[in-house]
Amino acid sequence: MTAVSSDAIRAETSTITGNGGDQIEAYCAVPLAKGSRGGVVWIHHMPGYDRETKEFVRRLAASGYHTVCPNLYSREAPGAEPDDAAATVRAAGGVPDDRLIGDIDGAVQYLANLDGANGKTGVIGHCSGGRQAFLAACSLKLDAAVDCYGAFIVEDPPEGMPASMKPILGLAPELSSPLLGLFGRDDRYPSPEAVAELDAELSRLGKDHEFVSYEGAGHSFFSVDRPAYRVEAALDGWRRINAFFAKYLEG
């Protein structure tokens, strides 16, 4: 029998128990090779639970982690296309922070019950998911957190953004895990000034964190099918994500 390759995975849509006991859709990917695995919750961006985010989930699974992405919009728009679901949720004011925390906690519990789970869990998010990754790490006991250009942790949102997107810098004393932040110097949300303010506050509090800001990169620089994609920043970002999770989630 041919041995299972180390990067072989199984990816599928599943159902997890979210906030308030709600059954919500989630996309899950797990390595097929036997072994002790850390788990990662990927929080999707404001455009929704889309193909791009599912590719990110599969990439982390191929790197050796049990990975799950809850569909944060599955209550308001079950079965809808990502753009339609995102529009519906934005019109309703966005995902409430308390519900987000409950959904991520449910995803953490889902990962803890998978065969081979080693009990260590991280969270990662991009765009609005970056803000929500910080929120989750300040609200739940986690082992690692990655914020990919998450806005509105520090600054107020512009007019037209969902009401739920309010600053949460005051939660920084509760940060439960090391934090990796990946940002673009040309981004407006978060701006370099907002990133510097968050960096300074975490340093003042003695929180373990590492921030990297890329020259010539703006928002969504990980998005390979958008004009914002920046290959050098994305490749270095993935290298740092892999090294960060290896440090805190393996074993």
Side-chain angles (χ1 to χ4, degrees):
M1 177 180 289
T2 303
V4 176
S5 66
S6 61
D7 61 351
I9 65 171
R10 183 182 74 249
E12 59 191 348
T13 300
S14 187
T15 301
I16 67 172
T17 302
N19 186 62
D22 294 343
Q23 297 300 294
I24 62 172
E25 184 180 2
Y27 188 72
C28 312
V30 298
L32 292 180
K34 293 187 181 300
S36 179
R37 310 284 182 186
V40 180
V41 181
W42 195 298
I43 307 177
H44 64 70
H45 55 173
M46 195 174 295
Y49 169 84
D50 55 7
R51 177 190 56 77
E52 175 186 38
T53 305
K54 293 176 181 180
E55 288 178 352
F56 292 162
V57 169
R58 293 194 296 271
R59 181 164 182 161
L60 277 184
S63 295
Y65 303 99
H66 294 148
T67 312
V68 60
C69 175
N71 181 357
L72 303 177
Y73 303 162
S74 60
R75 295 174 182 84
E76 289 86 356
E81 290 298 314
D83 287 347
D84 295 335
T88 298
V89 173
R90 284 178 67 116
V95 175
D97 283 350
D98 56 349
R99 194 180 85 183
L100 178 283
I101 294 164
D103 285 351
I104 301 309
D105 189 37
V108 169
Q109 299 308 314
Y110 173 87
L111 291 168
N113 289 322
L114 293 178
D115 290 342
N118 68 3
K120 297 180 180 181
T121 309
V123 64
I124 182 171
H126 58 304
C127 184
S128 62
R131 174 191 177 275
Q132 291 164 331
F134 179 80
L135 172 64
C138 293
S139 306
L140 303 170
K141 179 59 179 173
L142 298 171
D143 298 289
V146 181
D147 169 6
C148 299
Y149 38 83
F152 316 129
I153 293 173
V154 171
E155 71 273 56
D156 290 315
E159 186 176 352
M161 292 296 293
S164 61
M165 287 293 160
K166 56 185 181 295
I168 51 174
L169 183 61
L171 297 177
E174 308 305 319
L175 183 65
S176 66
S177 72
L179 174 70
L180 173 65
L182 302 174
F183 308 98
R185 289 195 182 276
D186 294 344
D187 205 342
R188 293 179 60 199
Y189 300 108
S191 67
E193 293 77 16
V195 172
E197 185 174 345
L198 178 58
D199 186 14
E201 179 64 3
L202 294 177
S203 295
R204 185 186 71 82
L205 293 167
K207 296 295 184 178
D208 186 354
H209 70 289
E210 176 187 1
F211 283 4
V212 181
S213 294
Y214 295 100
E215 295 286 353
H219 204 69
S220 300
F221 62 78
F222 278 108
S223 300
V224 297
D225 51 1
R226 296 186 181 198
Y229 180 58
R230 295 294 181 268
V231 61
E232 295 87 356
L235 290 175
D236 185 73
W238 275 112
R239 179 183 64 79
R240 291 177 184 273
I241 289 167
N242 288 334
F244 184 75
F245 283 149
K247 180 177 180 180
Y248 293 108
L249 299 184
E250 292 185 0

